[in-house]
Amino acid sequence: MAKSRSSYVCQNCGAITQRWQGKCESCGEWNTIIEEAAALGVGAAAVRRGAVGRAFPLEDLTDDSKPVARIVTGIGELDRVAGGGFVPGSATLIGGEPGIGKSTLLIQACAALARRGGRVVYVSGEESTEQVRLRAARLGLAGAPVQLAAQTLIEDIVATLGSGDAPKFVIVDSIQTMWSEAIESSPGTVSQVRGASQALIRFAKLSGAAIILVGHVTKDGQIAGPRVVEHMVDAVMSFEGEGAHAFRLLRASKNRFGATDEIGVFEMTGLGLAEVANPSALFLAGRDGAAPGAAVFAGVEGARPVLVEIQALVAPSTLGTPRRAVVGWEPSRLAMVLAVLETHGGLKLGQHDVYLNVAGGLRIAEPAADLAAAAALVSSLVGVALPHDAVYFGEIALSGAVRSVGHVGLRLKEAAKLGFARAVGPPAISREEDARLTASSVASVASLVAEIAASGVAAKVTK
Ligand code: TYD
Ligand code: MG
């Protein structure tokens, strides 16, 4: 019989080496390799028994049976990201930084679902049942028939879930705290997390329960350690937000049962997470449109239009090397827009500090924000407020040209819905005009600068 060997497993990426090393060759992380007892691998037991595989019937791609009904929690923004509710028998991983509100969101989902019937189980490996109950009471959910447990041993959890009525919805908070007796390493290691996930996913497939695994996230936004779990589950969602701001975004980065471009928007309140049906209104709240340096960007997050204010401050610098600071946007993108404004827009920014802020704590990744950022920067530099009722979008090329972006119709519709009367964008904009909006196209940053400067002159003349 084979001697039980141990192998060295990177806790960050799951790579296996034969010796201990200070640095993982696969992902480059330091001090992440830990000795773990080697698993014998799939099929090892059968080989030892000398067994031969059994043939099974294969099935057609066409299927006459009705599609399975999804498990709808009643928290609309969560169901939307799941693809219209959770699929029975599926496993979903929800990651997010500590304190972002994962446990809050999931206890709310549990309570909402349990109230509508079915067995709902919430297993916490981090908090006592008393703590979970206290939070639920604070959220006004104390009466909901959710079954609670504070357990971490996976065999016990699976046995408990398997006894009695089949559960409909199971939360395991968090997967990193779970451990199996069958595995010799400590909780949180890759083998434990993988083993526990496997056991839970198998249970989900057999019982038809939808299982949600909560995963911790490291600073750089990855699910800590076990990236392997991301491959095992059916869907991976991340719960994001800026600590100081109340809004939270739920995004799917993988979904076998739905689109990955849906986002869910929530606001953290004293009474837990509230769904935000109209994110644009949230981000534009408290806007002071009369001041120079602010432009409303008509953005799209996932498949959802989101209007947000981009604020710029361009001020003469007293420093040898002027400051460039940006919150909520890529610093490299700002540097590029500034370079294009200098080269093709004729602006002199070398002696100015530049600050750029996306209001409300949203992080924008779209290149379509270039034009709004440029408009805010020019507006601040020349001291002319942009029209209060205008939105901006478009990508800026290094040549200074304003390029077309996707979802133009969606952006215009959202702007019109929120009472904006003008949209400034790439030349293609006029073809997709919304009847309620005046769409004006700018072909280049040079014409953007000229238009903003001219509106400043016109304002002075009429005064
Ligand atoms: P929690 O769900 O415990 O976060 P996670 O499970 O992602 O670590 O949420 C923790 C934070 O949420 C905590 O700092 C306080 C805040 N919070 C509220 O603002 N209102 C509430 O009603 C609740 C329950 C929490
Ligand atoms: Mg938690």
Side-chain angles (χ1 to χ4, degrees), residues 48-343:
R48 262 187 278 129
R49 272 191 276 117
V52 181
R54 267 174 294 136
F56 50 82
L58 298 166
E59 292 176 29
D60 290 339
L61 202 50
T62 50
D63 181 11
D64 298 331
S65 59
K66 273 209 248 105
V68 280
R70 294 197 177 224
I71 298 167
V72 176
T73 62
I75 309 271
E77 298 287 303
L78 174 64
D79 294 331
R80 173 216 293 270
V81 178
F86 292 87
V87 170
S90 69
T92 303
L93 178 68
I94 297 190
E97 285 176 22
I100 206 75
K102 301 180 293 297
S103 305
T104 307
L105 174 66
L106 293 171
I107 195 75
Q108 286 182 251
C110 281
L113 184 59
R115 284 202 170 123
R116 299 156 75 216
R119 183 176 174 211
V120 177
V121 185
Y122 185 100
V123 183
S124 178
E126 305 195 329
E127 296 163 298
S128 66
T129 45
E130 199 47 45
Q131 280 172 306
V132 177
R133 212 175 285 133
L134 261 174
R135 178 190 286 124
R138 222 158 8 92
L139 299 175
L141 307 172
V146 179
Q147 301 183 342
L148 296 182
Q151 295 291 337
T152 53
L153 183 60
I154 211 73
E155 281 83 9
D156 290 355
I157 292 171
V158 170
T160 311
L161 293 176
S163 63
D165 288 346
K168 200 162 154 190
F169 197 57
V170 178
I171 310 293
V172 177
D173 185 2
S174 67
I175 190 64
Q176 278 102 342
T177 57
M178 300 294 145
W179 65 288
S180 163
E181 276 175 331
I183 298 167
E184 271 175 35
S185 35
S186 48
T189 54
V190 171
S191 348
Q192 283 291 7
V193 170
R194 185 168 32 200
S197 308
Q198 244 156 21
L200 290 165
I201 292 167
R202 197 177 318 125
F203 174 79
K205 298 266 180 289
L206 290 175
S207 67
I211 289 212
I212 315 284
L213 309 176
V214 175
H216 292 297
V217 157
T218 55
K219 277 210 193 69
D220 54 2
Q222 301 207 326
I223 310 273
R227 295 224 64 182
V228 280
V229 182
E230 294 187 24
H231 300 289
M232 295 161 60
V233 293
D234 299 304
V236 179
M237 297 179 189
S238 58
F239 203 39
E240 310 164 357
E242 289 289 326
H245 292 282
F247 88 93
R248 303 279 182 269
L249 288 188
L250 185 69
R251 297 175 193 274
S253 56
K254 163 180 176 179
N255 192 349
R256 288 183 182 149
F257 306 117
T260 50
D261 59 0
E262 281 293 357
I263 60 164
V265 187
F266 297 90
E267 187 176 2
M268 185 60 97
T269 69
L271 279 175
L273 289 156
E275 296 180 53
V276 177
N278 189 347
S280 301
L282 175 76
F283 291 120
L284 291 180
R287 184 166 80 99
D288 171 21
V296 175
F297 167 48
V300 174
E301 288 285 329
R304 231 163 145 188
V306 176
L307 302 191
V308 61
E309 188 180 63
I310 296 187
Q311 303 163 344
L313 179 64
V314 180
S317 180
T318 54
L319 305 167
T321 312
R323 274 191 69 102
R324 266 93 178 95
V326 48
V327 176
W329 204 42
E330 287 293 319
S332 56
R333 209 79 212 165
L334 172 65
M336 192 204 81
V337 168
L338 289 176
V340 173
L341 283 174
E342 289 205 313
T343 314

